[in-house]
Amino acid sequence: MSEPITLNVGGKLYTTSLSTLTSFPDSMLGAMFSGKIPTKKDSQGNCFIDRDGKIFRYILNFLRTSHLDLPEDFQEMGLLRREVDFYQIQPLIEALQEKEVELSKAEKNAMLNITLDQKTQTVHFTVREAPQIYSLSSSNMEVFSAHIFSTSCLFLKLLGSKLYYCFNGNLSSISSYLQDPNHLTLDWVASVEGLPEEEYTRHNLKRLWVVPDNKQINSFQVFVEEVLKIAMSDGFCIDSSHPHTSDFMNNKIIRLIRYK
């Protein structure tokens, strides 16, 4: 075995051998450590690669064993795919494709459960009527909560790509609010006529939008319609042991299932 080499990948140090790094000569690492592509050094003299340090462990382990071993709860497949594409290790690219097909098959049968809640909240705010003239006002607004559970992590990611929070003038995907791969809690409000935009920010009130339709969700009816549309496009159907679609609007629990 060749002498050890220490790599600095995105600030994380790994120690391996030259023979491991060049085990696939046509890869990016094979080219870097055979002298075909110049390498950079950090302040300690270690070879530096400006890529994700955490994900590199799976790349390096594949070079050592020719097996792609991922933990059961691995949730960074998109990031891993980008890193694998960068390093251009063809057998690893093929192994990742096989792993994604395997995960897709495992997720074909799935359950989706949504619990809904709604309440009315009074908001007090100031209205500027003229320069240096303000008046106090108040208004009632509808506040919505949806607790979503799905056995399909991929479906929640799909939902996150369609639903966005509007807050402080910006849209942000609900994906960042995932509690874990299978649970998501949404809290939002309906728009209130006359309520200044800055008051939503001051009261920490988020509104919910569907993209790319740019449609605001101001009621549970619209929310359920949009979620049903997304879920059914992904193969879900209404659980026959629960109310018919026409009765969903009057219920606080929605359950859908998917069999493939």
Side-chain angles (χ1 to χ4, degrees), residues 75-89:
Q75 296 299 318
E76 296 184 293
M77 195 64 74
L79 178 57
L80 176 60
R81 192 183 306 113
R82 287 189 291 275
E83 295 303 294
V84 168
D85 183 63
F86 171 79
Y87 291 108
Q88 284 298 299
I89 304 167

Side-chain angles (χ1 to χ4, degrees), residues 5-16 42 44 46-48 53 56 60:
I5 294 177
T6 298
L7 305 180
N8 178 344
V9 184
K12 191 170 180 63
L13 298 181
Y14 291 90
T15 300
T16 184
D42 66 10
Q44 303 301 314
N46 301 314
C47 294
F48 176 72
F56 187 73
L60 183 56

